Structures are given as structure tokens and as C-alpha cells.
């Protein structure tokens, strides 16, 4: 079928019928994107999302003129790539820049997702950009969370503001911000408390902390291993504190082996942003404005990268 496309020299409703069927059935070994699609189908997580995706590729393929120098089959692969990229947020999303005063980044998320680690990583990331960074420890509930942040801060040589575990988190955050303003810090990263599950108290306290510090960014830290519940998680946090983006952690490891990694990525992206939306996921993502801003790729403080939709799309395509 791909030979027909190649021979005809342009994409038409007729000659893409077969390739599209193959993409759907995912049997053509020469078509790399099928790996990701097959994974989605096999994982049986978001069939409607896959269907919408295939439809979108089909529409785009038919609407496109064949660019000189690209054979039609390459063109079709490019269309798949472009759609994948747009599905993942299109352009890379930067941190919000404040008009004046320090950037304030609120780190939210469930316990164990890698929130405290991500706070440290982000501090180092911004420090390397030449910013004067302050970490604020408000996770007063998880035993040793404050010590952990203090240790991380020591390692990366970023000061950590803390008031122990007897002061309420919003108050710690308030004083931390005050210090940052007085001492002309460029960025303040507030590590908030996480819990094993979403509960009203956690959300109420998070809202209160947010009110107090008026963050420029509220980042939801999500473990890449999170399955289908990711959509609900994002929704709950977004409704409570209006997140500006996500940090996807633990993108390095997969107990089932590295080969499964890209698959995981695809599934997670579809899940986080697509699953419980009635409109197509890429619209959902744009409308909600919650892009993945960073990915964590290891336990080390250096293991944080901005999330590049086009790189992720390439990785998924293999
Ligand atoms: P918190 O409860 O959300 O603050 O979670 P922590 O920051 O304490 O992280 C929980 C565990 O996950 C720790 O053992 C971290 O070293 C580990 N971790 C965090 N981020 C990553 C990551 O990107 N990759 C890997 N492999 N481990 C991570």
C-alpha cells in the first residue's frame, strides 16, 4: 500500500486508504509510528483518543500538498509526526516570567511523585541560568521532607528557608517570600505538602498557600508511571489551584525495561491531557493551558530537562 502512495506521487483519499487502515491495524513494519499506536491500542486505554488521532492524521494528509523533495510516504510520516507533536502541546512551554519581583514557583503533587526532588532540580536548573534562587520548605507532614530539601539545597548550594514542622505551610511560604523579596532573589520555589491521595485538607491548604504567595507558576508533579488516574489527578489539582503546567518525573526508569519507555510516554500524554475530555486532546490541552513544562529523568539533581514536544514526538516515532 505504501508503494502505491509512493508511485502516485501525491496523497489522495484513495491511495491513503490502505496506509491508514494499516496505521489503524498497525501491521506495517516499515511505518514506525505504528509502534506507538499499537501500544495505545494494546494498552486499551484510550481508544477514542487513538481514533481521533488517526482521523486527524487522515484529514491532514489529504489536505496537504506533497512538498518537493519529500516522497508521499515520507510526507505521511511527517503528518503523523506533526500531529503527535501538536498532541503533546505543540511548542515548548517556558516558565512564566513575572513583570516585577521574583518568579514564584509552587510545586504541587501527591506524596512520592518526586515533588521535593523536582523542587531541588528546578532550583539547580534556574541557578545555572544565573538566577538567585531560594527554596522554601513547607512540607510539614511527611517525615523528613524538610531535612531532605535542606540536604538537597546543601548539595546544589541553594539556600533553603524553613521554619520546622510546627508552623502552618501558608505562613512558612509567606515568610519565605518576604525574605526573597527583601534579599532580592530572582526565583522562589515552594515545596508544598503532598499526601497519598487527594483530600480536601490538602487542597484547601494548597489553595491558601497559593493565595499567600501568588505564584507565577503552579506546577503539578506527576509520576510518569501514573496510569489512567492521571487525568483525574490533573483535573482535581487544576480545579483547586489552576495549574500552569506539569513536571513529569521518573521518565528514566521503567520496570518493564527501556523499550517500553516511549510507549509509556505516549500513553501518559494521551491520558493526562486527553482522556476525560470530550473534545480532541490537542484542543483540550490548548484550552486548559496545562503543558508539560519539564521532565525528570533520574534521581540526580541534574536530571531535569525542559519538555520538548517535537523531541518527544520523534522519540515515539522511533
Ligand atoms: P515527594 O514525596 O513527592 O517529595 O517525592 P521525593 O522527591 O522524595 O521522591 C521520591 C523518590 O523518587 C525518591 O527516591 C527520589 O529519588 C525518586 N525520584 C524523584 N524523581 C525521580 C526521577 O526523575 N527519576 C528517578 N529514577 N527517581 C526519581
Amino acid at each position: 500500500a505504501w508503494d502505491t502512495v509512493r508511485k502516485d506521487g501525491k496523497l489522495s483519499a484513495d491511495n491513503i486508504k490502505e496506509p491508514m487502515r494499516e496505521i489503524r491495524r498497525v501491521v506495517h513494519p516499515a511505518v514506525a509510528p505504528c509502534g506507538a499506536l499499537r501500544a495505545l491500542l494494546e494498552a486499551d486505554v484510550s481508544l477514542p483518543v487513538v481514533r481521533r488521532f488517526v482521523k486527524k492524521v487522515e484529514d491532514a494528509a489529504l489536505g496537504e500538498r506533497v512538498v518537493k523533495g519529500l516522497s508521499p510516504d515520507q510526507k505521511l510520516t511527517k503528518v503523523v509526526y506533526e500531529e503527535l507533536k501538536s498532541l503533546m502541546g505543540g511548542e515548548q512551554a517556558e516558565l512564566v516570567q513575572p513583570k516585577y519581583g521574583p518568579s514564584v514557583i509552587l510545586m504541587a503533587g501527591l506524596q512520592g511523585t518526586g515533588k521535593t526532588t523536582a523542587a531541588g532540580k528546578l532550583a539547580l536548573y534556574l541557578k545555572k541560568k544565573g538566577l538567585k534562587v531560594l527554596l522554601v520548605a513547607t512540607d510539614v507532614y511527611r517525615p523528613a521532607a524538610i531535612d531532605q530539601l535542606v540536604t538537597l539545597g546543601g548539595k546544589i548550594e541553594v539556600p533553603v528557608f524553613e521554619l520546622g514542622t510546627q508552623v502552618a505551610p501558608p505562613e512558612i511560604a509567606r515568610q519565605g517570600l518576604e525574605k526573597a523579596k527583601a534579599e532580592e532573589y530572582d526565583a522562589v520555589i515552594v515545596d508544598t505538602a503532598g499526601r497519598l491521595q487527594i483530600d480536601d485538607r490538602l487542597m484547601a491548604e494548597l489553595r491558601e498557600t497559593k493565595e499567600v504567595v501568588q505564584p507565577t507558576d503552579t506546577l503539578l508533579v506527576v509520576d510518569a508511571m501514573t496510569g489512567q488516574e492521571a487525568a483525574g489527578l490533573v483535573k482535581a489539582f487544576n480545579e483547586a489551584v489552576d495549574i500552569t503546567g506539569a513536571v513529569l518525573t521518573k521518565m528514566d526508569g521503567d520496570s518493564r525495561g527501556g523499550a517500553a519507555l516511549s510507549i509509556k510516554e505516549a500513553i501518559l500524554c494521551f491520558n493526562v491531557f486527553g482522556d476525560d475530555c470530550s473534545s480532541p486532546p490537542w484542543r483540550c490541552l490548548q484550552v486548559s493551558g496545562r503543558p508539560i513544562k519539564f521532565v525528570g529523568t533520574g534521581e540526580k539533581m541534574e536530571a531535569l530537562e525542559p519538555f520538548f514536544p517535537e523531541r518527544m514526538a520523534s522519540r515515539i516515532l522511533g
Side-chain angles (χ1 to χ4, degrees):
W2 286 76
D3 288 343
T4 320
V5 174
R6 221 168 276 143
K7 251 196 326 252
D8 286 2
K10 60 184 198 315
L11 300 171
S12 69
D14 257 0
N15 70 12
I16 71 160
K17 212 186 268 162
E18 268 311 304
M20 288 316 294
R21 189 173 295 156
E22 282 173 3
I23 287 177
R24 265 197 214 90
R25 281 201 201 134
V26 195
V27 288
H28 198 293
V31 191
C34 295
L37 291 180
R38 177 170 47 224
L40 290 166
L41 289 167
E42 276 174 1
D44 198 25
V45 276
S46 9
L47 203 49
V49 176
V50 177
R51 280 207 200 100
R52 282 198 295 261
F53 178 76
V54 170
K55 177 80 176 66
K56 185 103 173 151
V57 169
E58 207 167 32
D59 291 349
L62 291 180
E64 299 272 344
R65 302 222 164 276
V66 176
V67 175
K68 266 211 178 95
L70 274 190
S71 62
D73 55 322
Q74 286 170 330
K75 184 71 191 169
L76 190 53
T77 303
K78 187 167 182 303
V79 168
V80 174
Y81 164 80
E82 291 297 338
E83 287 310 321
L84 257 182
K85 180 182 154 190
S86 114
L87 184 65
M88 298 206 195
E91 300 308 317
Q92 195 236 325
E94 310 266 356
L95 289 174
V96 177
Q97 292 302 319
K99 292 205 180 66
Y100 52 87
S103 302
V104 180
I105 302 153
L106 198 65
M107 308 295 289
L110 296 182
Q111 194 172 308
T113 52
K115 187 167 44 56
T116 300
T117 307
K121 287 176 176 179
L122 200 53
L124 180 62
Y125 176 84
L126 294 176
K127 186 188 160 182
K128 280 185 175 167
K129 287 190 172 247
L131 303 190
K132 185 176 168 188
V133 188
L134 181 68
L135 280 162
V136 178
T138 79
D139 188 355
V140 298
Y141 306 115
R142 179 161 71 83
I146 294 178
D147 292 343
Q148 184 189 344
L149 196 64
V150 169
T151 306
L152 290 180
K155 242 188 242 170
I156 59 175
E157 296 180 14
V158 167
V160 178
F161 180 84
E162 55 111 351
L163 293 173
T165 57
Q166 299 307 308
V167 180
E171 178 58 20
I172 304 174
R174 191 187 66 74
Q175 292 192 31
L177 183 60
E178 223 163 62
K179 174 187 165 75
K181 284 181 177 164
E183 298 174 19
E184 296 186 341
Y185 279 86
D186 303 307
V188 184
I189 300 168
V190 183
D191 185 25
T192 62
R195 291 186 202 235
L196 291 173
Q197 282 169 336
I198 296 166
D199 68 43
D200 294 346
R201 219 182 120 201
L202 166 74
M203 289 305 188
E205 189 185 273
L206 196 57
R207 254 196 305 267
E208 208 184 316
T209 305
K210 182 176 172 163
E211 277 302 303
V212 169
V213 297
Q214 298 285 323
T216 46
D217 263 295
T218 301
L219 300 180
L220 177 64
V221 180
V222 185
D223 184 330
M225 295 294 143
T226 314
Q228 279 171 288
E229 67 272 26
L233 188 74
V234 173
K235 195 158 172 274
F237 273 92
N238 200 39
E239 277 169 9
V241 288
D242 197 11
I243 63 172
T244 58
V247 180
L248 217 49
T249 62
K250 309 187 192 179
M251 289 287 277
D252 49 312
D254 188 322
S255 49
R256 275 154 288 162
L261 186 64
S262 64
I263 293 158
K264 269 273 176 219
E265 290 157 3
I267 292 170
L268 191 86
C269 289
F270 280 84
N271 268 331
V272 168
F273 299 111
D275 228 356
D276 68 359
C277 288
S278 49
S279 57
W282 45 90
R283 293 271 353 128
C284 203
L285 179 59
Q286 286 156 2
V287 170
S288 67
R290 346 161 235 178
I292 298 170
K293 293 200 175 184
F294 293 94
V295 292
T297 55
E299 298 196 62
K300 292 216 176 78
M301 284 295 98
E302 289 76 16
L304 183 82
E305 311 168 0
F307 177 78
F308 293 103
E310 67 270 22
R311 275 190 218 163
M312 192 59 81
S314 308
R315 258 169 92 177
I316 288 172
L317 294 189

